[in-house]
Amino acid sequence: MVYFLKFCAGWVLPPGIFIVLFVAVAYYAWVKRDEKKIAALIFGLTFMFYLLCTSFVAEKFLGALENVYEPPKSLPDGDVIVMLGGGAMPDSPDVDGRGALCSAPANRLLTAVRLQRKLNVPILLSGGQVYADSGEEAQIAKRILMSLGVKERDIILETKSINTAQNARFSAELLRDGHFSRPVLVTSAFHMKRAVLNFARENVEVIPYPADYMVSREPVFHYTKLRPQSEALLQNVTVLQETLRTFVTRYLYF
């Protein structure tokens, strides 16, 4: 009964309720107005939108993107860890101050600090202040790392970048200045393919260490995964964004 209620709720809350309404409009155009071509178009677009709203599809698309790179099976032979930012809030209350990382970079930081304790190498934090009302990503991450016991001398800051291309460009400068040759790159699994490509454009070969996985590696089907969900829509949009941005980076970025 619990799963059935979840399935039903997906159709009375956004985005499910809009799918129901669009199907009703298509039915009206087909039956009442005899506008079969318009009805077919509305229904086709609605069905595509519905698929993008299901976690069943999101697991397939996002899983394929997240699995492009595997974490090393053994401890990576790196001499520095590079962690990319991904959003921060400047004024959120935190344990030891104000300002907090968003969920994705927080998960990245958790992986980075665990690696740092095993490798005993510096961490390069890359990320500036993207918008006027967003946080200074590297600075906030530094405060959190220090509260977790990482020494300040083991933290390198790159605070100018506002996108992945700049993450790679400005980090590459610091890597060369520090004579680092085996950087371990930590970022979200869905973001790793584009991040590696951007570092390659800067002639930096990284050791990918994906983190922040969002879908299971071995998903099991359940009928509730066919209900419309805003979370699934966001995941599929993330895949589309990464696909577009990777294309731009590979073919249109100069």
Side-chain angles (χ1 to χ4, degrees), residues 130-157:
V130 180
Y131 301 106
D133 59 349
S134 62
E136 297 178 343
E137 297 175 6
Q139 294 285 1
I140 292 173
K142 175 184 177 181
R143 192 196 76 235
I144 297 173
L145 282 181
M146 292 180 64
S147 73
L148 293 172
V150 180
K151 294 180 175 57
E152 187 172 10
R153 67 171 182 266
D154 290 329
I155 301 175
I156 304 169
L157 295 186

Side-chain angles (χ1 to χ4, degrees), residues 19 31 36 50 63 68 109 119 135 159 161 211 216 221 244:
I19 295 172
V31 176
K36 290 183 170 52
Y50 160 69
V68 171
L109 183 139
L119 298 176
T159 61
S161 59
S216 173
F221 177 75
L244 176 61

Side-chain angles (χ1 to χ4, degrees), residues 10-214:
W11 295 99
V12 297
L13 297 172
I17 187 62
F18 297 114
I19 295 172
V20 173
L21 292 175
F22 285 137
V23 169
V25 170
Y27 176 81
Y28 177 80
W30 184 286
V31 176
K32 302 297 184 180
R33 301 296 298 270
D34 199 30
E35 297 283 355
K36 290 183 170 52
K37 290 184 178 180
I38 293 178
L41 177 62
I42 295 173
F43 181 80
L45 293 174
T46 302
F47 184 68
M48 291 176 59
F49 179 66
Y50 160 69
L51 291 178
L52 290 176
C53 292
T54 64
S55 59
F56 175 77
V57 172
E59 284 179 342
K60 303 296 184 182
F61 289 170
L62 188 56
L65 185 59
E66 289 187 333
N67 294 333
V68 171
Y69 287 97
E70 295 278 345
K73 294 182 178 179
S74 59
L75 201 60
D77 180 26
D79 56 3
V80 64
I81 297 166
V82 180
M83 192 201 94
L84 304 188
M89 295 165 286
D91 51 4
S92 299
D94 198 12
V95 175
D96 55 358
R98 299 187 70 82
L101 297 177
C102 296
S103 58
N107 286 334
R108 300 173 190 179
L109 183 139
L110 182 60
T111 297
V113 72
R114 293 169 67 195
L115 276 175
Q116 196 271 341
R117 289 179 177 175
K118 290 181 178 294
L119 298 176
N120 194 28
V121 298
I123 298 180
L124 192 162
L125 301 171
S126 177
Q129 184 175 4
V130 180
Y131 301 106
D133 59 349
S134 62
E136 297 178 343
E137 297 175 6
Q139 294 285 1
I140 292 173
K142 175 184 177 181
R143 192 196 76 235
I144 297 173
L145 282 181
M146 292 180 64
S147 73
L148 293 172
V150 180
K151 294 180 175 57
E152 187 172 10
R153 67 171 182 266
D154 290 329
I155 301 175
I156 304 169
L157 295 186
E158 183 286 294
T159 61
K160 298 184 294 183
S161 59
I162 61 173
N163 61 19
T164 304
Q166 292 184 7
N167 284 144
R169 185 183 313 136
F170 299 139
S171 294
E173 295 174 0
L174 293 175
L175 292 173
R176 285 189 284 268
D177 291 343
H179 303 287
F180 297 111
S181 60
R182 301 185 308 278
V184 180
L185 180 62
V186 175
T187 189
S188 298
F190 74 84
H191 182 236
M192 184 61 76
K193 180 179 179 180
R194 181 161 60 95
V196 170
L197 178 60
N198 274 282
F199 274 87
R201 293 185 68 92
E202 302 298 329
N203 296 314
V204 176
E205 183 179 354
V206 299
I207 303 171
Y209 208 104
D212 184 41
Y213 286 88
M214 292 194 289

Side-chain angles (χ1 to χ4, degrees), residues 231-247:
E231 297 89 345
L233 178 60
L234 177 59
Q235 290 176 344
N236 279 312
V237 169
T238 296
V239 173
L240 295 174
Q241 287 178 337
E242 284 299 310
T243 302
L244 176 61
R245 290 169 179 171
T246 299
F247 176 85

